[in-house]
Amino acid sequence: MSYHNITSSLGFDSATVFENLKQGKRAIQLVDDASRFYKPFFGAVIPTETLNSAFQILEPNKDFTRLEKMLLLSLSKTIKASGIDLSDRVGLIISTTKGNIDVLNTQSQFPQERAYLSELGKIIQNYFGFKNEAIVISNACVSGILSIAIAKRYIQEGIYDQVFVVAGDLVSDFVISGFNSFHALSDAPSKPYDANRVGINLGEVAASVLVTSNKNNHSEDTVEILGEASCNDANHISGPSRTGEGLYRSIKSALAEANIDSHTIDYISAHGTATLFNDEMEAIAFNRLGLEHAPLNSLKGYFGHTLGASGLLETIIGMQSLHHNTLIASAGFETLGVTKPLNIIKETASKELRTFLKTASGFGGCNTVALFRTLT
């Protein structure tokens, strides 16, 4: 994985976002916007004026939805930084859970057909002139990291030499209503793994990255994908296996592909939604693999849960952590609130890092993980 970009309420480039994380800045705040939800909620949203102003750099000649602006802005920066010509050997993967779901609102100026994920794929593909049809990955909240895994496999199989991955989701009335119906929303900034956590916050972001086999297209913080795996625990439509079976098997398979021992992992970028079932399940799975001593964080306390973008967003932060030899604190954490021991990162600190594990778990029982190692 090479060149990348993060477009978020903590900054519109990866370096700025990482610096803000080092300083402990959190994007989550009280949002009072009736167009998003009928009552105020805690979440992380990109200011509309800021997004529209930044998007003008692309000199658009037509109207785009809010999500399309986010995706196009992020991916344009990654493509430009890479300097790659979009030949027929270059692929495009788009990760999102709900896409342009907001166009189904009766107040939307866009046709409802814009909500089809295939339409989103065509818009991104045609805007940049990709020669190959866009592949849209929508597998709940593992979509971002799964897209990286699929890009890696396309390259290994010789279908593409390089793949651009772009991910994004919105904080919309539809999404907020869904999580609210589960009584899963927190009425304060979320606290993953903490004894006093009460639920999740939602956030919106766009992120993009180049996955490449060409050494000439490496950025200074390039990481190697050592192994990846996916496993479905088949437990419940919205509840994970109580034993962490799906996550456990995914990590075990990824370690086998990477041919490394779990004790060589320098830190874990976990899913950490700050819900009772998710956090407990992860703690059990990590302990079953002897990973209870590995430094671990969740970035949900900074960005909220960004759904289909979360896995890619958090992987890019992981790349920056390795590059800068810096462990980012798990925001909001004070007292361990799971039944198994975990080494939660309480304070941002310098540490020599080489390898990290990224995990993600989502509705429907899906679990996807990937192992990364710096090249320097």
Side-chain angles (χ1 to χ4, degrees):
M1 288 180 57
S2 183
Y3 296 97
H4 51 76
N5 171 267
I6 296 171
T7 296
S8 76
S9 46
L10 281 182
F12 278 25
D13 64 83
S14 303
T16 298
V17 171
F18 190 73
E19 184 60 33
N20 282 329
L21 292 179
K22 287 171 61 179
Q23 295 177 20
K25 295 181 179 180
R26 304 175 71 173
I28 298 170
Q29 58 186 328
L30 186 64
V31 179
D32 189 358
D33 183 349
S35 69
R36 295 178 186 269
F37 202 47
Y38 73 92
K39 64 180 181 179
F41 64 94
F42 277 89
V45 300
I46 300 173
T48 299
E49 291 184 3
T50 304
L51 174 63
N52 289 340
S53 177
F55 187 68
Q56 292 307 309
I57 296 173
L58 301 185
E59 299 181 350
N61 57 9
K62 59 185 293 187
D63 290 333
F64 292 96
T65 68
R66 180 181 180 81
L67 178 62
E68 289 161 6
K69 290 176 183 178
M70 291 163 55
L71 296 173
L72 292 171
L73 185 60
S74 179
L75 185 54
S76 67
K77 294 181 179 181
T78 298
I79 293 174
K80 182 178 180 180
S82 72
I84 290 175
D85 176 55
L86 301 181
S87 70
D88 59 5
R89 298 295 300 168
V90 178
L92 170 64
I93 296 178
I94 300 169
S95 167
T96 185
T97 60
K98 294 303 175 187
N100 283 318
I101 192 69
D102 57 324
V103 305
L104 297 181
N105 189 307
T106 56
Q107 304 301 316
S108 174
Q109 70 183 74
F110 296 94
Q112 292 191 348
E113 289 75 16
R114 199 82 158 229
Y116 290 123
L117 297 184
S118 58
E119 287 300 307
L120 178 62
K122 291 176 183 177
I123 288 167
I124 304 300
Q125 174 195 343
N126 293 336
Y127 180 89
F128 292 106
F130 280 90
K131 305 297 190 298
N132 297 294
E133 184 176 352
I135 299 155
V136 181
I137 305 298
S138 184
N139 186 17
C141 298
V142 307
S143 301
I145 192 67
L146 181 60
S147 295
I148 296 172
I150 291 174
K152 169 216 167 207
R153 296 183 188 187
Y154 273 128
I155 292 173
Q156 286 180 331
E157 293 170 6
I159 296 174
Y160 298 123
D161 297 325
Q162 314 190 81
V163 179
F164 284 98
V165 180
V166 61
D169 264 307
L170 299 174
V171 174
S172 66
D173 180 76
F174 180 92
V175 173
I176 300 173
S177 297
F179 279 93
N180 188 56
S181 69
F182 285 121
H183 302 284
L185 295 180
S186 174
D187 58 1
S190 62
K191 302 160 69 73
Y193 306 108
D194 190 80
N196 296 314
R197 69 195 184 282
V198 292
I200 73 170
N201 305 130
L202 294 171
E204 61 186 16
V205 71
S208 55
V209 72
L210 170 67
V211 182
T212 179
S213 61
N214 190 336
K215 294 181 179 180
N216 295 324
N217 291 324
H218 284 179
S219 60
E220 60 180 8
D221 60 349
T222 292
V223 295
E224 177 185 5
I225 307 171
L226 297 178
E228 43 76 20
S230 295
C231 181
N232 193 294
D233 60 39
N235 179 73
H236 187 270
I237 189 63
S238 61
S241 164
R242 301 298 187 266
T243 63
E245 188 66 24
L247 181 58
Y248 167 81
R249 293 191 184 195
S250 295
I251 297 173
K252 194 171 182 179
S253 295
L255 286 168
E257 181 187 359
N259 194 28
I260 64 173
D261 186 88
S262 63
H263 299 295
T264 65
I265 295 172
D266 291 319
Y267 94 95
I268 302 170
S269 175
H271 195 55
T273 60
T275 58
L276 295 176
F277 287 154
N278 175 88
D279 292 6
E280 178 69 10
M281 174 276 290
E282 287 189 283
I284 292 171
F286 293 141
N287 273 262
R288 289 177 65 186
L289 290 153
L291 288 167
E292 65 270 21
H293 300 299
L296 177 151
N297 68 11
S298 166
L299 297 173
K300 303 295 191 298
Y302 296 98
F303 300 97
H305 194 342
T306 56
L307 306 182
S310 61
L312 182 54
L313 162 71
E314 293 159 11
T315 296
I316 294 172
I317 298 301
M319 293 172 66
Q320 290 282 286
S321 289
L322 263 57
H323 181 61
H324 294 284
N325 288 305
T326 301
L327 290 173
I328 299 296
S330 196
F333 179 80
E334 296 175 346
T335 305
L336 190 65
V338 292
T339 62
K340 301 294 183 181
L342 290 175
N343 184 13
I344 307 296
I345 305 168
K346 295 183 178 180
E347 295 182 0
T348 296
S350 297
K351 182 181 180 181
E352 187 173 344
L353 303 171
R354 183 105 194 274
T355 305
F356 82 97
L357 169 70
K358 176 73 202 102
T359 73
S361 301
F363 286 172
C366 51
N367 298 272
T368 301
V369 307
L371 281 158
F372 301 93
R373 181 172 61 196
T374 182
L375 296 181
T376 57

